[in-house]
Amino acid sequence: MRSPAGRDGRHVSAAVPIDPFRHSRGPADAPIVVVEYADFQCPYCARAAPVLHEFAETSDGQVRLVFRHFPVFDIHPYALTAALAAEAAGLESRFWEMHDLLFARQDRLADKFLHAYAASLGLDGDRVVGDAAQPFGDAVEADYARGIEQGVRGTPTIFINGEPYRGRTEIAPLRKAASLSLRRHRRAPWSRR
């Protein structure tokens, strides 16, 4: 098994970082942490992704959005390889760009497409598929196992400050749930508008 290579072309350790917050948008110290377990081949996840991104972006720095893999591979045959490709892109700080491409083109996730998506991001396509992507399996598996421990059964599954979110994946209900989680501490900035 080949080790993936970093931007400078050197091979990196097959021990890929498995920080559960490695793929996040928003400040690390945000008082609201939204964790999404998702599958790149899931159409519901594709619809949720831009909403969650907007939620984080319009929160005045109050929301940190964390992505975790939960490939439902028994239903979605390309979910795992897409997750590996996203992790490989993440090694070169291009996770979110690959994330967005995979959701935008989720009907085309075979290796030849993943290779092309990586190339469109300025990455070596050979590093996101096949043997080169296999070392990233541990990170995907760790996310999946963490999801199982938290009771995730399908995708997307969202947690707000550690509590399962069961509402619609729309801005207003997300803001309401986030505001409720902050009620004891302080008011959310969007509730003052």
Side-chain angles (χ1 to χ4, degrees), residues 8 35 38 45 49-50 52 57 67 93 115 126 134-135 148 164 167 185:
D8 61 2
V35 175
C45 295
L52 292 170
E57 291 296 311
F67 181 93
S93 302
H115 190 281
D126 290 334
Q134 293 309 305
I148 294 293
H185 303 288

Side-chain angles (χ1 to χ4, degrees), residues 70-105:
F70 200 83
V72 185
F73 43 83
D74 55 337
I75 298 172
H76 300 136
Y78 296 108
L80 180 57
T81 55
L84 295 174
E87 282 294 318
L91 185 65
E92 298 191 44
S93 302
R94 304 305 293 268
F95 172 82
W96 289 106
E97 292 93 335
M98 182 64 88
H99 165 281
D100 295 346
L101 272 173
L102 295 173
F103 278 133
R105 300 173 183 163

Side-chain angles (χ1 to χ4, degrees), residues 1-5 11 78-92 98 102 108-119 123-137:
M1 194 177 299
R2 293 183 322 182
S3 296
H11 287 285
Y78 296 108
L80 180 57
T81 55
L84 295 174
E87 282 294 318
L91 185 65
E92 298 191 44
M98 182 64 88
L102 295 173
R108 296 178 302 267
L109 296 178
D111 283 357
K112 68 180 181 179
F113 298 115
L114 299 175
H115 190 281
Y117 301 156
L123 306 174
D124 180 348
D126 290 334
R127 294 185 179 150
V128 302
V129 296
D131 287 344
Q134 293 309 305
F136 299 100

Side-chain angles (χ1 to χ4, degrees), residues 35-49:
V35 175
E36 175 196 21
Y37 285 90
D39 170 328
F40 285 114
Q41 206 173 353
C42 167
Y44 303 106
C45 295
R47 286 195 291 269

Side-chain angles (χ1 to χ4, degrees), residues 9 14 32 49 66 83 102 121 143 149-151 169 182 186:
I32 300 164
V66 178
L102 295 173
L121 296 174
D143 281 357
E149 288 171 11
Q150 290 187 275
T169 310
L182 290 178
R186 60 187 166 104

